[in-house]
Amino acid sequence: MGSYRLLETAVIFLLATVIAVPIAKRFRLGAVLGYLLAGVVIGPAELHLIADPSRASDISEFGVVLMLFVIGLELSPKRLWVMRHAVFGTGLLQVLVSGLVLGTIAHLGFGLAPNAAAIVGGSLALSSTAFGLQILGERKEASSAYGRQSFAILLFQDLAAIPLIAAVPLLASTSSRHGVDPMAVARTVAVIVAVVIGGRYLLRPVFRFVARANSAEVSTATALLVVMGTALLMEKFHISVTLGAFLAGVLLADSEYRHELESNLEPFKGLLLGLFFISVGMSIRIDLLLQAPLLVLGFTFGLLLVKGLLLWPLGLKPGGLHRSDALRLAVLLACGGEFAFVLLRQAMEQGLIAEQEGAMLVLAITLSMALTPVLVAVTAKLIGAKKKQAPQRPFDTITVDHPRVIIAGYGRMGQIVARILRSRKIPFVALDHSVEQLDLVHRFSNDNDIFYGDPARPELLRAAQADKAEVFVLATDDAESSLRVARVVHRQYPHLKIIARARNRQHVWRLMDLGVEEPVRETLFSSLKMSRKALEALGLSAEEATAEVERFRRKDAELLKLQYLVYDDEAKLVQTTREALADLNQLFEADAEIEAPPTKGPDADTPLVASNEEPGTGKA
């Protein structure tokens, strides 16, 4: 009977995951909300499929243990040292200020004891790392200024969760006293020191011994043994098991076994962490939302408002973000996080906070996480609308005399062109319409040849002396902006030779419509070089690999011109492409039977580039 119940529970969990998580991702709500929603549906509050969520939570909390171990693996001391200013500056300030303010509100406004208020304030100060990184990734803003700042704050919050988790038992032991229990503190410190010293001198020899067995199963078992053994030791001395897992991960962060451990534990971590969020969803009290909707929504929006108001000035601190980016940061990190669930559950188990209070906070945190994607999208639209309505900032005064080259777009490609021109002492002017990009460039260099302005504005082109220039390098990464600039330049300065960056074939064809003869596809040459290196790694000589790549490049250039003639007719475009690909395959099959000449391609009068040069230096 017991095995039947276990199988039934496992099937219910897996079925809920398979249904809820894809639906949540379909609506861009994230996997975490999918797991929480699945728990709400199958739990005792709704369908009553699983009546006792506590059984599942005992197993699922091991997912948090594995998550902390993997976080420890990722936090190598070298990486933290590189990011020390952002992580231990803004991150530390955010956690301290938010925790203090929220804890004070909990103590003075809701009458919680100081110990309980400290844990509540600390838990609410933490944001959702899973949500934050997912939203930044989806919006392709992880490398932006506010994205990097958000990552640094989230990284410190993950670090701050460890002492908070360790502090829950200590604060619970002093809740009935007026001071800190010195024995509890001494015991905690002694066990942590023992784990650090023992792990430093024992773990690497153990993994070295296991590695000689060359068995993936034994390696995975060893990784699980380290995590579970450390957690068991912590549990035996009534210390947080997650703290032990985190310490074990940190001790192995700089070891040669780090990546193997991550890959071995990743499936277990993801599955058990999903189980943890399902168990949290099962414990969510939906009845509280129905009984006191105004109170629950008040807690939710109060949390978002307080954290947002505290985060916004942190982003605006001297040398920090612009106002719009600071607002994005505040909206992204204002919600609660997954570690709050861990802390509040421990606080309820230790008797620091009442069940009703903990359930209300868990519900408010869940709702704040659910609202975050919507708030981020609304904020982005509002900021975009304001930018469109705001009057354009006048362009910078251009001081360069008689530039021979004008570069539009000072990103990755534009900067490389500029460096080479500067090395040849060729005068140029670089124009960029992104204030953030200019600030970033000026922070790392003293470039005096880059100016703010929209290259599509005729007055800016006149100020840049486009009438005296010889070459116009169009290096902007936005296709529509690139076409707009090319149209203006081609119409007003037909003498300028336009060398344009193209994102894809469609962009190439539209640039060719505007008179740009040979657009440069931004990934073509790097892809050809990677192909050549792959062929060499597979045993081909450098000459053979270069010949194959050059043959493909030449045929692809021919296909591009054929496609250009019919690209506005989809049926003809498909037919032309298929015919050209068939011809290319036949050519390769025929050439495979004949030894390729080392320095010539299929056409005897067309020399190939040397093997140590970029392939495809002819037409793109």
mmCIF file of all heavy atoms in Angstrom, residues 289-313:
data_model
loop_
_atom_site.group_PDB
_atom_site.id
_atom_site.type_symbol
_atom_site.label_atom_id
_atom_site.label_comp_id
_atom_site.label_asym_id
_atom_site.label_seq_id
_atom_site.Cartn_x
_atom_site.Cartn_y
_atom_site.Cartn_z
ATOM 1 N N LEU A 289 -6.406 34.620 0.571
ATOM 2 C CA LEU A 289 -6.677 35.614 -0.469
ATOM 3 C C LEU A 289 -8.171 35.846 -0.619
ATOM 4 O O LEU A 289 -8.615 36.974 -0.853
ATOM 5 C CB LEU A 289 -6.071 35.150 -1.792
ATOM 6 C CG LEU A 289 -6.247 36.073 -3.003
ATOM 7 C CD1 LEU A 289 -5.627 37.434 -2.734
ATOM 8 C CD2 LEU A 289 -5.654 35.453 -4.258
ATOM 9 N N LEU A 290 -8.967 34.782 -0.459
ATOM 10 C CA LEU A 290 -10.419 34.906 -0.570
ATOM 11 C C LEU A 290 -11.026 35.563 0.665
ATOM 12 O O LEU A 290 -11.983 36.328 0.563
ATOM 13 C CB LEU A 290 -11.043 33.527 -0.796
ATOM 14 C CG LEU A 290 -10.567 32.784 -2.062
ATOM 15 C CD1 LEU A 290 -11.190 31.390 -2.117
ATOM 16 C CD2 LEU A 290 -10.904 33.577 -3.307
ATOM 17 N N GLN A 291 -10.444 35.272 1.826
ATOM 18 C CA GLN A 291 -10.981 35.825 3.079
ATOM 19 C C GLN A 291 -10.603 37.291 3.260
ATOM 20 O O GLN A 291 -11.423 38.089 3.721
ATOM 21 C CB GLN A 291 -10.465 35.014 4.266
ATOM 22 C CG GLN A 291 -11.004 33.583 4.320
ATOM 23 C CD GLN A 291 -10.311 32.766 5.390
ATOM 24 O OE1 GLN A 291 -9.525 33.291 6.191
ATOM 25 N NE2 GLN A 291 -10.581 31.456 5.410
ATOM 26 N N ALA A 292 -9.367 37.623 2.952
ATOM 27 C CA ALA A 292 -8.900 39.006 3.174
ATOM 28 C C ALA A 292 -8.122 39.480 1.954
ATOM 29 O O ALA A 292 -6.894 39.656 2.007
ATOM 30 C CB ALA A 292 -8.047 39.083 4.431
ATOM 31 N N PRO A 293 -8.792 39.678 0.820
ATOM 32 C CA PRO A 293 -8.068 40.053 -0.405
ATOM 33 C C PRO A 293 -7.349 41.393 -0.286
ATOM 34 O O PRO A 293 -6.236 41.553 -0.795
ATOM 35 C CB PRO A 293 -9.165 40.093 -1.467
ATOM 36 C CG PRO A 293 -10.438 40.273 -0.710
ATOM 37 C CD PRO A 293 -10.251 39.573 0.595
ATOM 38 N N LEU A 294 -7.961 42.350 0.385
ATOM 39 C CA LEU A 294 -7.336 43.668 0.504
ATOM 40 C C LEU A 294 -6.062 43.598 1.340
ATOM 41 O O LEU A 294 -5.062 44.263 1.028
ATOM 42 C CB LEU A 294 -8.325 44.662 1.121
ATOM 43 C CG LEU A 294 -9.564 44.986 0.268
ATOM 44 C CD1 LEU A 294 -10.471 45.977 1.002
ATOM 45 C CD2 LEU A 294 -9.154 45.546 -1.091
ATOM 46 N N LEU A 295 -6.089 42.789 2.395
ATOM 47 C CA LEU A 295 -4.915 42.662 3.254
ATOM 48 C C LEU A 295 -3.761 42.001 2.495
ATOM 49 O O LEU A 295 -2.614 42.462 2.553
ATOM 50 C CB LEU A 295 -5.265 41.857 4.500
ATOM 51 C CG LEU A 295 -4.144 41.701 5.542
ATOM 52 C CD1 LEU A 295 -3.704 43.062 6.059
ATOM 53 C CD2 LEU A 295 -4.607 40.797 6.683
ATOM 54 N N VAL A 296 -4.070 40.918 1.778
ATOM 55 C CA VAL A 296 -3.034 40.202 1.032
ATOM 56 C C VAL A 296 -2.463 41.098 -0.074
ATOM 57 O O VAL A 296 -1.244 41.199 -0.241
ATOM 58 C CB VAL A 296 -3.602 38.904 0.433
ATOM 59 C CG1 VAL A 296 -2.563 38.246 -0.484
ATOM 60 C CG2 VAL A 296 -4.013 37.941 1.536
ATOM 61 N N LEU A 297 -3.335 41.754 -0.820
ATOM 62 C CA LEU A 297 -2.859 42.643 -1.884
ATOM 63 C C LEU A 297 -2.100 43.837 -1.307
ATOM 64 O O LEU A 297 -1.153 44.343 -1.919
ATOM 65 C CB LEU A 297 -4.035 43.118 -2.735
ATOM 66 C CG LEU A 297 -4.739 42.033 -3.560
ATOM 67 C CD1 LEU A 297 -5.946 42.609 -4.289
ATOM 68 C CD2 LEU A 297 -3.769 41.409 -4.559
ATOM 69 N N GLY A 298 -2.531 44.289 -0.123
ATOM 70 C CA GLY A 298 -1.802 45.371 0.537
ATOM 71 C C GLY A 298 -0.388 44.960 0.890
ATOM 72 O O GLY A 298 0.571 45.729 0.685
ATOM 73 N N PHE A 299 -0.240 43.722 1.431
ATOM 74 C CA PHE A 299 1.104 43.206 1.718
ATOM 75 C C PHE A 299 1.940 43.118 0.429
ATOM 76 O O PHE A 299 3.115 43.492 0.413
ATOM 77 C CB PHE A 299 1.019 41.816 2.356
ATOM 78 C CG PHE A 299 0.784 41.853 3.837
ATOM 79 C CD1 PHE A 299 0.163 40.802 4.479
ATOM 80 C CD2 PHE A 299 1.184 42.940 4.600
ATOM 81 C CE1 PHE A 299 -0.055 40.828 5.852
ATOM 82 C CE2 PHE A 299 0.969 42.984 5.961
ATOM 83 C CZ PHE A 299 0.351 41.930 6.594
ATOM 84 N N THR A 300 1.310 42.614 -0.641
ATOM 85 C CA THR A 300 2.031 42.411 -1.896
ATOM 86 C C THR A 300 2.530 43.728 -2.484
ATOM 87 O O THR A 300 3.727 43.892 -2.773
ATOM 88 C CB THR A 300 1.130 41.697 -2.920
ATOM 89 O OG1 THR A 300 0.664 40.458 -2.370
ATOM 90 C CG2 THR A 300 1.874 41.444 -4.210
ATOM 91 N N PHE A 301 1.613 44.674 -2.649
ATOM 92 C CA PHE A 301 2.013 45.954 -3.238
ATOM 93 C C PHE A 301 2.872 46.773 -2.278
ATOM 94 O O PHE A 301 3.706 47.566 -2.720
ATOM 95 C CB PHE A 301 0.782 46.736 -3.673
ATOM 96 C CG PHE A 301 0.116 46.182 -4.898
ATOM 97 C CD1 PHE A 301 -1.064 45.461 -4.801
ATOM 98 C CD2 PHE A 301 0.688 46.352 -6.148
ATOM 99 C CE1 PHE A 301 -1.672 44.936 -5.940
ATOM 100 C CE2 PHE A 301 0.092 45.827 -7.287
ATOM 101 C CZ PHE A 301 -1.088 45.120 -7.177
ATOM 102 N N GLY A 302 2.667 46.576 -0.985
ATOM 103 C CA GLY A 302 3.531 47.243 -0.015
ATOM 104 C C GLY A 302 4.966 46.771 -0.131
ATOM 105 O O GLY A 302 5.910 47.575 -0.091
ATOM 106 N N LEU A 303 5.142 45.436 -0.294
ATOM 107 C CA LEU A 303 6.484 44.890 -0.479
ATOM 108 C C LEU A 303 7.127 45.445 -1.741
ATOM 109 O O LEU A 303 8.291 45.889 -1.727
ATOM 110 C CB LEU A 303 6.411 43.359 -0.547
ATOM 111 C CG LEU A 303 7.696 42.623 -0.923
ATOM 112 C CD1 LEU A 303 8.769 42.857 0.138
ATOM 113 C CD2 LEU A 303 7.429 41.129 -1.095
ATOM 114 N N LEU A 304 6.379 45.440 -2.847
ATOM 115 C CA LEU A 304 6.914 45.956 -4.110
ATOM 116 C C LEU A 304 7.264 47.440 -4.011
ATOM 117 O O LEU A 304 8.301 47.891 -4.518
ATOM 118 C CB LEU A 304 5.905 45.729 -5.234
ATOM 119 C CG LEU A 304 5.646 44.274 -5.644
ATOM 120 C CD1 LEU A 304 4.467 44.188 -6.595
ATOM 121 C CD2 LEU A 304 6.884 43.660 -6.289
ATOM 122 N N LEU A 305 6.405 48.207 -3.341
ATOM 123 C CA LEU A 305 6.623 49.651 -3.251
ATOM 124 C C LEU A 305 7.822 49.978 -2.370
ATOM 125 O O LEU A 305 8.682 50.788 -2.752
ATOM 126 C CB LEU A 305 5.361 50.328 -2.706
ATOM 127 C CG LEU A 305 5.405 51.856 -2.588
ATOM 128 C CD1 LEU A 305 5.597 52.481 -3.962
ATOM 129 C CD2 LEU A 305 4.136 52.381 -1.924
ATOM 130 N N VAL A 306 7.891 49.361 -1.185
ATOM 131 C CA VAL A 306 8.991 49.665 -0.257
ATOM 132 C C VAL A 306 10.338 49.268 -0.864
ATOM 133 O O VAL A 306 11.288 50.066 -0.876
ATOM 134 C CB VAL A 306 8.766 48.957 1.093
ATOM 135 C CG1 VAL A 306 10.005 49.094 1.983
ATOM 136 C CG2 VAL A 306 7.555 49.543 1.804
ATOM 137 N N LYS A 307 10.432 48.038 -1.382
ATOM 138 C CA LYS A 307 11.705 47.612 -1.965
ATOM 139 C C LYS A 307 12.054 48.440 -3.200
ATOM 140 O O LYS A 307 13.230 48.773 -3.430
ATOM 141 C CB LYS A 307 11.647 46.123 -2.323
ATOM 142 C CG LYS A 307 11.750 45.195 -1.131
ATOM 143 C CD LYS A 307 11.840 43.742 -1.554
ATOM 144 C CE LYS A 307 13.148 43.427 -2.220
ATOM 145 N NZ LYS A 307 13.272 41.987 -2.542
ATOM 146 N N GLY A 308 11.041 48.776 -4.012
ATOM 147 C CA GLY A 308 11.307 49.588 -5.192
ATOM 148 C C GLY A 308 11.837 50.967 -4.833
ATOM 149 O O GLY A 308 12.782 51.466 -5.452
ATOM 150 N N LEU A 309 11.229 51.594 -3.812
ATOM 151 C CA LEU A 309 11.683 52.925 -3.397
ATOM 152 C C LEU A 309 13.084 52.895 -2.799
ATOM 153 O O LEU A 309 13.823 53.884 -2.876
ATOM 154 C CB LEU A 309 10.694 53.500 -2.372
ATOM 155 C CG LEU A 309 9.320 53.896 -2.925
ATOM 156 C CD1 LEU A 309 8.404 54.349 -1.793
ATOM 157 C CD2 LEU A 309 9.445 54.982 -3.981
ATOM 158 N N LEU A 310 13.460 51.764 -2.200
ATOM 159 C CA LEU A 310 14.807 51.638 -1.639
ATOM 160 C C LEU A 310 15.837 51.303 -2.720
ATOM 161 O O LEU A 310 17.000 51.713 -2.629
ATOM 162 C CB LEU A 310 14.825 50.561 -0.552
ATOM 163 C CG LEU A 310 13.994 50.862 0.702
ATOM 164 C CD1 LEU A 310 13.976 49.657 1.628
ATOM 165 C CD2 LEU A 310 14.553 52.078 1.440
ATOM 166 N N LEU A 311 15.421 50.542 -3.732
ATOM 167 C CA LEU A 311 16.349 50.137 -4.788
ATOM 168 C C LEU A 311 16.645 51.275 -5.767
ATOM 169 O O LEU A 311 17.767 51.379 -6.279
ATOM 170 C CB LEU A 311 15.778 48.947 -5.555
ATOM 171 C CG LEU A 311 15.915 47.572 -4.897
ATOM 172 C CD1 LEU A 311 14.919 46.587 -5.484
ATOM 173 C CD2 LEU A 311 17.335 47.055 -5.076
ATOM 174 N N TRP A 312 15.665 52.119 -6.022
ATOM 175 C CA TRP A 312 15.840 53.159 -7.028
ATOM 176 C C TRP A 312 16.990 54.122 -6.705
ATOM 177 O O TRP A 312 17.855 54.362 -7.553
ATOM 178 C CB TRP A 312 14.523 53.929 -7.220
ATOM 179 C CG TRP A 312 14.532 54.829 -8.418
ATOM 180 C CD1 TRP A 312 14.675 54.462 -9.716
ATOM 181 C CD2 TRP A 312 14.413 56.255 -8.421
ATOM 182 N NE1 TRP A 312 14.637 55.555 -10.549
ATOM 183 C CE2 TRP A 312 14.479 56.685 -9.773
ATOM 184 C CE3 TRP A 312 14.240 57.211 -7.427
ATOM 185 C CZ2 TRP A 312 14.396 58.014 -10.142
ATOM 186 C CZ3 TRP A 312 14.151 58.544 -7.803
ATOM 187 C CH2 TRP A 312 14.231 58.931 -9.135
ATOM 188 N N PRO A 313 17.063 54.675 -5.478
ATOM 189 C CA PRO A 313 18.214 55.552 -5.197
ATOM 190 C C PRO A 313 19.544 54.808 -5.169
ATOM 191 O O PRO A 313 20.587 55.408 -5.434
ATOM 192 C CB PRO A 313 17.881 56.148 -3.819
ATOM 193 C CG PRO A 313 16.881 55.223 -3.226
ATOM 194 C CD PRO A 313 16.111 54.659 -4.362
#
